[in-house]
Amino acid sequence: MTAEEKQELIKKLLANRIAIADFHLLRKEINEFDLSLIIQKIYDLNDEQVRKIAALAPVMAKVDALKNAQRNKKFFDKVKNGFRADLANKIILVEGDSWFNYPILLSDVIDWVSMEKNMAVYSLASGGDWLLNMLSARRYIEQLSTMNPDVFIISGGGNDLVGENRIAAMVNPLGKSEEFMESAWARELMRISRTDFDPDRFNNGLTYLSKDFFALLMFFQLQYYYIFNGIFTGGTGDPKNGKFPGIKVITQGYDYPQPSRKLGFGLNPLKWYIPIVRKFLGHGSWLKTPLDMRGITNEEAQRDVLYAMIFLFNEMMIEVGEVFQGIAGYDCVFHIDSRGAVGDKGWTDELHPLPENFKRTGASFIQCINGIPSPNGLVYRVKT
Amino acid sequence: MKKVIFAIFLVIVFIMGYQGKLLERAGFGIINLELAKDGATGKNILQQWHGSPYGDGTLLDIAKQNVQLDYFFIVVYVSLLMALANSQMQREKSVWLNNLLRFNLLLAFLTGLLDVIENIMIQHNFHHVLTAEAYWNPYGVALAKFGLAALSVLVLLFSYLKSFLSFK
C-alpha cells in the first residue's frame, strides 16, 4: 500500500465512510505514526497536546505506583519460591486502567485475581491511563520480553473515551444521527454479534452517536490489533515470527456505566466510601456533565448513549479475538464480557463497580486464566 | 512501608510506656485519667500528678509531654491500622470481611479523630488543673475511641486468623 493510499483510507476512517475490506487492509498496514495521526484528527489536537491530556496526573501516578509496588513485591515473593517450576501456576502481566488499579479504597479486578494461589501477577496498570499511553509507553513490551508470561491481561479505552470531557465530542445531541448506518464495519459487528441486547435502548443510543465515535471505535481496534499483532507475529502478520508461543491474552470491555452526579448517601456503614469517592474523585464529570454540556439531558437518553457505546466497544473487542484466532492459529485472545453484570445499583461511581462486582468480573478472569472452557468460545460472560 | 511505620510505632509505645510508669508513681496512669468515669476522679488524678514532684517539675509535666507525644502517636497508629487493613484487603477473598477491612479505614480515621478530641480535652484540663469547675470529662470520647480501636483490631485479627487457617 502506498503512503497516499493509506492516507486516503485514514481519511475515510475519520469520516466513518470506510468499507470493511478497506478497514481490514488498513488494519494490517497501520503503524504508530498513523495511530498518532488518527488520534490527533479525532481529538482535534496536536500530538503533544494529545499526549499531555492522556498523561496521568503526578499524584495519581504515585498512588497507582504504590499499589503496583505492593502487587509486584508479592509477585517476586512468589517467583523467588520456585513458583514457575509448577506448570499449573500462571505468570500474569497486567496493563490497564482503573478497573485494574483502583488505589486504596476499592478492591479492583486485579486485586481479586492476585489472591489466587496459582497466579503471580505483575502489574503495570494505572487508574486513569489511556490506551494511547499504554501503547506509546510500551512498558508492557519490556516486561513481556523479560518475564515471558503465560497470560497478558489488558484493559484500555475507557479513559480515552471519557477523559477530559471527550465523550462530549462523540455525541450528536439532536438524536438523529445515522452514523451507525454509514459504518459498514459497525453494522457487520452487530450482524455477527451473538450477544443478547435491548434493541430499544441500543437503537435509541445509536441516534446520538457521532461519526467521531465510530472513528474512535475503529481507532481502538487498530490500537489493539497493533498491540496483539506485535505479540503474536512480531508485527509481521506471520505467527512464525511471534516471540511468545502459547501466550494467552485477555481483554475486557467494562459494563454499561451510569451517568450520575448523585452522591450516593445511604444507611449501610460498609459503603461509607461511596459519597467520598463520588464527591472528590471525578464522579459526574466523566459522563453526566459532558452529556449535559452537549444538551443530552434526559437521563434515559444518557444511559442509552452509554449502552450503545459499551455494547459496540465489547463487540469490537470480541472481533479482535476472533481475528487473532485466525492469525495465530489457536485460541489466543479471550474477552471478559461484563455487560449487564453490575446492574443499576452495583456502582461505586459513574465508572467503577462496587468491590463485590469487581470480584465477579475477576472470577471470570480466573476461570479464563485457568483454562476452564467457556460455553461462549473466546468470550467469558460475567455472571449477573 | 508497613515495617517502618511499625518500628516507629514500637519506639513510641516504649517511650509512652516509660512515661506511663513514671505517672503511676502517683497511683494513676494516663489511661486512668482517660477512663475516669466521673469528674471527681479525673480532677483527683490531675491534682495527684500536680502535687508529685519529678525532677525540677511535677508528674503533670510528664503527663503534658505524654499527650504531646500522643499526637504523633495518633498519626503513626492510624497510618499503621490503615496500611494493615489495606494490605489485608488485597488478600481477603471473603467479600463481607473484605468490606469490613475497608470499613477499618474509616474506623482507624475516626479512632484517631476521637483521640485528638480527647487530647484537646485533657490539655484543657491540664491548663485548668486548679479550677475544678473547668474540668472537661473525656470519658465518653475515650470510651468511643477504645471501642472503635478494639473493633478495628478485632477485624484485622479475624482476617489474619482466617488467612492463616486457609493457608494451612
Side-chain angles (χ1 to χ4, degrees):
Chain A
M1 184 189 287
T2 65
E4 289 75 23
E5 284 168 341
K6 198 193 259 185
Q7 289 311 310
E8 192 55 36
L9 292 186
I10 289 175
K11 209 181 276 180
K12 285 182 181 172
L13 179 147
L14 290 167
N16 188 31
R17 297 294 184 272
I18 190 167
I20 297 176
D22 285 345
F23 178 61
H24 291 171
L25 206 60
L26 180 63
R27 206 163 57 182
K28 287 181 187 159
E29 298 288 328
I30 210 80
N31 59 39
E32 259 188 279
F33 176 78
D34 303 323
L35 291 172
S36 171
L37 183 79
I38 295 170
I39 195 66
Q40 287 174 53
K41 298 282 184 192
I42 294 175
Y43 286 168
D44 293 325
L45 295 166
N46 67 39
D47 190 38
E48 198 184 335
Q49 286 168 318
V50 170
R51 287 188 198 292
K52 212 170 162 183
I53 60 168
L56 287 170
V59 176
M60 187 75 171
K62 277 189 182 140
V63 180
D64 289 339
L66 201 66
K67 187 160 189 175
N68 280 342
Q70 289 172 341
R71 283 175 173 172
N72 298 344
K73 184 185 174 298
K74 267 170 71 182
F75 170 85
F76 283 114
D77 287 346
K78 278 189 177 178
V79 166
K80 282 180 207 165
N81 285 313
F83 183 83
R84 209 148 201 198
D86 185 344
L87 293 178
N89 290 340
K90 306 288 181 197
I91 295 283
I92 301 160
L93 176 66
V94 173
E95 176 63 289
D97 51 30
S98 54
W99 273 51
F100 286 180
N101 185 344
Y102 195 106
I104 303 171
L105 286 174
L106 301 186
S107 300
D108 55 57
V109 172
I110 297 305
D111 283 327
W112 296 107
V113 173
S114 305
M115 289 179 204
E116 292 302 295
K117 279 182 188 163
N118 70 325
M119 297 177 194
V121 178
Y122 190 93
S123 171
L124 300 167
S126 277
D129 212 356
W130 292 35
L131 183 58
L132 184 69
N133 252 354
M134 298 173 206
L135 194 142
S136 59
R138 303 167 73 93
R139 290 174 304 173
Y140 68 93
I141 294 176
E142 188 190 332
Q143 296 303 334
L144 279 172
S145 300
T146 52
M147 69 177 60
N148 250 285
D150 302 294
V151 179
F152 175 50
I153 299 180
I154 184 163
S155 161
N159 293 304
D160 307 52
L161 183 62
V162 304
E164 299 284 323
N165 292 330
R166 295 314 313 173
I167 199 169
M170 303 296 146
V171 291
N172 183 336
L174 298 177
K176 291 177 182 165
S177 169
E178 293 187 346
E179 288 299 327
F180 174 71
M181 295 312 291
E182 297 293 344
S183 173
W185 171 75
R187 279 188 282 121
E188 178 63 8
L189 282 183
M190 289 307 293
R191 194 189 64 78
I192 60 173
S193 169
R194 291 187 290 269
T195 317
D196 291 335
F197 69 107
D198 180 336
D200 293 338
R201 289 190 67 186
F202 182 73
N203 290 328
N204 187 37
L206 285 183
T207 62
Y208 293 95
L209 301 188
S210 70
K211 74 174 173 55
D212 282 345
F213 171 75
F214 291 96
L216 186 67
L217 198 62
M218 284 186 271
F219 174 68
F220 283 146
Q221 190 171 79
L222 293 178
Q223 288 181 97
Y224 275 110
Y225 188 96
Y226 181 79
I227 291 172
F228 298 161
N229 198 34
I231 293 172
F232 294 110
T233 74
T236 63
D238 184 349
K240 285 183 196 145
N241 297 320
K243 281 186 179 176
F244 313 102
I247 192 172
K248 186 186 265 190
V249 172
I250 310 177
T251 62
Q252 70 93 26
Y254 316 99
D255 190 5
Y256 309 117
Q258 308 278 314
S260 163
R261 267 189 301 270
K262 289 177 185 149
L263 286 181
F265 284 105
L267 295 174
N268 185 348
L270 295 181
K271 292 187 177 158
W272 62 275
Y273 54 91
I274 293 178
I276 294 173
V277 166
R278 291 189 177 191
K279 178 71 187 166
F280 299 107
L281 298 177
H283 175 71
S285 69
W286 296 302
L287 309 174
K288 181 88 177 158
T289 301
L291 291 173
D292 282 345
M293 197 163 72
R294 285 305 307 274
I296 302 173
T297 54
N298 178 288
E299 279 189 18
E300 203 179 302
Q302 290 181 340
R303 280 203 297 271
D304 291 351
V305 166
L306 270 305
Y307 184 90
M309 283 180 169
I310 292 298
F311 193 90
L312 286 168
F313 182 84
N314 275 270
E315 292 304 319
M316 176 277 292
M317 295 301 303
I318 291 168
E319 194 202 27
V320 179
E322 285 163 1
V323 167
F324 277 93
Q325 190 181 36
I327 292 174
Y330 71 101
D331 291 350
C332 54
V333 179
F334 296 84
H335 183 69
I336 305 300
D337 186 352
S338 299
R339 284 174 291 182
V342 178
D344 287 352
K345 294 186 175 171
W347 297 84
T348 302
D349 60 21
E350 276 189 314
L351 301 179
H352 306 101
L354 293 169
E356 49 265 44
N357 293 326
F358 269 138
K359 182 179 183 181
R360 286 192 294 119
T361 298
S364 293
F365 272 97
I366 291 165
Q367 207 183 352
C368 182
I369 293 165
N370 283 329
I372 299 166
S374 161
N376 303 300
L378 299 172
V379 180
Y380 286 72
R381 300 228 161 92
V382 178
K383 285 184 185 146
T384 48
Chain B
M1 184 62 114
K2 287 195 301 277
K3 286 175 189 161
V4 174
I5 302 173
F6 190 64
I8 299 170
F9 173 83
L10 287 180
V11 170
I12 302 176
V13 165
F14 178 78
I15 296 170
M16 292 178 84
Y18 176 70
Q19 289 173 328
K21 284 275 172 216
L22 293 177
L23 292 175
E24 279 171 14
R25 287 181 187 180
F28 304 101
I30 198 86
I31 305 284
N32 296 109
L33 177 69
E34 290 173 356
L35 293 178
K37 264 188 189 171
D38 56 286
T41 313
K43 287 173 220 164
N44 177 43
I45 293 171
L46 289 179
Q47 273 159 19
Q48 290 292 325
W49 286 341
H50 187 56
S52 304
Y54 178 75
D56 55 357
T58 67
L59 285 181
L60 191 66
D61 298 320
I62 300 295
K64 284 178 182 171
Q65 286 170 16
N66 184 281
V67 172
Q68 282 160 4
L69 184 59
D70 195 38
Y71 283 109
F72 184 51
F73 186 55
I74 292 167
V75 174
V76 173
Y77 81 70
V78 168
S79 305
L80 186 63
L81 279 173
M82 285 182 165
L84 291 173
N86 185 251
S87 163
Q88 194 57 16
M89 265 162 62
Q90 288 168 44
R91 291 173 173 80
E92 183 50 69
K93 282 186 180 183
S94 150
V95 168
W96 68 272
L97 203 44
N98 192 284
N99 277 332
L100 270 180
L101 286 163
R102 193 171 296 90
F103 187 52
N104 246 17
L105 300 175
L106 177 68
L107 288 182
F109 174 77
L110 292 177
T111 305
L113 191 68
L114 288 173
D115 209 352
V116 168
I117 294 169
E118 181 203 78
N119 280 356
I120 291 168
M121 294 172 91
I122 290 175
Q123 283 181 316
H124 166 88
N125 295 337
F126 287 160
H127 288 297
H128 299 87
V129 68
L130 298 174
T131 322
E133 56 273 21
Y135 186 80
W136 288 352
N137 192 345
Y139 175 71
V141 177
L143 203 65
K145 175 193 82 174
F146 283 119
L148 292 184
L151 189 60
S152 178
V153 172
L154 212 65
V155 170
L156 270 176
L157 288 178
F158 187 72
S159 177
Y160 284 138
L161 186 70
K162 190 176 155 287
S163 297
F164 177 72
L165 291 177
S166 66
F167 180 74
K168 282 186 86 180

